[in-house]
Amino acid sequence: GSTAASGITYQWQDSTSGGGWASINGANASIFNASISADTWFRCQVFCGSQSSYSSVKQIVIKSNLECYCTTGLGGGCSGSAIDSVAIETTTLLTSNTGCASNNYIQYPALGNTCAQLASGQNYNLHTRFNGLVIASVWVDYNQNGGFDSVEWKQITISAQVDSDYVTLLSVPASAKTGLTLMRIRTRASGNLNSYSDACTNFGSGETEDYFVGINYDVSVSNGFGKKTDIILYPNPAKE
């Protein structure tokens, strides 16, 4: 918000507590690009001669990867192109006859038969069935960066038949990050593209289902993953 004029200089400062500011070495331009590993406050001290003033303070908060995935604007249409069942061998993940989710998208909770525990460096067979002729893909965010990279994608089938079992080998990298992450399965009517770059593409057909998986991580110990949710007790009062 400073006015451009000759004689003006800049010094960016940061803080991890909102106080105890420290000048950032080399950050002397009107724009500063930062890489952070913790929640950080920033401000800029602007000088003109012997006078100076501070910009407003901005806090940059690092979100959990679980809050960063695209979940809106995915589009779709389940008629003849929905996901019918999903399972991963040797894990608890097993859903069947799920029907069509509202808005053609669902994120299943990290508990019971809708999540899986995986180990780095291991292979798993993913089983999927569909209710029509679809092209289907799966992504697993192994590096937990809150998005789906091309190396985290696999094509399940380009022309699925109704109620046929499709087995896809999931190879968890030895470098996969420990913790809770997301597996996404997307369908689209056959004859369209559904490739490595389409994890967030708006489709005119198909369905998207998200499942939480734990990499070297017990999924049974986590059921909130940072999301703020209202809790309602009913009936109130209650005897039990």
Side-chain angles (χ1 to χ4, degrees):
S2 66
T3 301
S6 60
I8 291 180
T9 59
Y10 306 89
Q11 177 59 64
W12 286 88
Q13 299 178 335
D14 65 2
S15 168
T16 56
S17 64
W21 293 93
S23 295
I24 304 169
N25 186 37
N28 305 117
S30 59
I31 294 175
F32 173 58
N33 294 319
S35 296
I36 60 175
S37 57
D39 295 353
T40 307
W41 285 257
F42 292 95
R43 71 181 184 182
C44 185
Q45 188 174 11
V46 183
F47 296 88
C48 183
S50 61
Q51 301 180 77
S52 70
S53 182
Y54 291 98
S55 71
S56 57
V57 174
K58 295 296 183 181
Q59 182 189 18
I60 309 301
V61 177
I62 297 179
K63 287 185 175 182
S64 160
N65 62 298
L66 303 176
E67 299 178 84
C68 297
Y69 301 107
C70 54
T71 58
T72 60
L74 298 173
C78 288
S79 179
S81 55
I83 302 165
D84 181 69
S85 64
V86 175
I88 299 179
E89 289 182 21
T90 72
T91 77
T92 57
L93 179 55
L94 175 61
T95 64
S96 61
N97 300 317
T98 56
C100 183
S102 175
N103 296 321
N104 313 303
Y105 169 78
I106 187 170
Q107 184 184 96
Y108 287 101
L111 53 86
N113 69 320
T114 59
C115 65
Q117 185 172 335
L118 309 178
S120 58
Q122 300 299 310
N123 294 326
Y124 298 86
N125 286 328
L126 169 70
H127 292 259
T128 47
R129 292 176 181 268
F130 312 98
N131 73 352
L133 303 178
V134 304
I135 178 172
S137 290
V138 58
W139 295 260
V140 183
D141 184 22
Y142 294 119
N143 63 9
Q144 297 179 32
N145 67 352
F148 298 105
D149 305 325
S150 59
V151 295
E152 298 174 330
W153 165 83
K154 276 205 167 183
Q155 193 92 74
I156 296 173
T157 176
I158 61 172
S159 185
Q161 301 298 308
V162 177
D163 203 32
S164 294
D165 181 24
Y166 291 87
V167 182
T168 306
L169 182 66
L170 297 180
S171 298
V172 183
S175 60
K177 189 174 179 180
T178 294
L180 200 63
T181 192
L182 207 70
M183 178 179 75
R184 170 162 294 180
I185 298 175
R186 301 200 74 188
T187 60
R188 196 178 190 183
S190 291
N192 295 289
L193 290 177
N194 186 358
S195 188
Y196 66 89
S197 61
D198 290 317
C200 298
T201 302
N202 182 279
F203 288 163
S205 59
E207 183 184 18
T208 302
E209 293 187 352
D210 284 347
Y211 297 86
F212 289 101
V213 296
I215 308 293
N216 305 323
Y217 177 86
D218 186 356
V219 292
S220 66
V221 303
S222 178
N223 56 19
F225 23 89
K227 293 196 173 182
K228 299 176 178 65
T229 305
D230 291 334
I231 297 175
I232 299 174
L233 301 181
Y234 180 84
N236 186 13
K239 295 180 180 180
E240 297 180 352

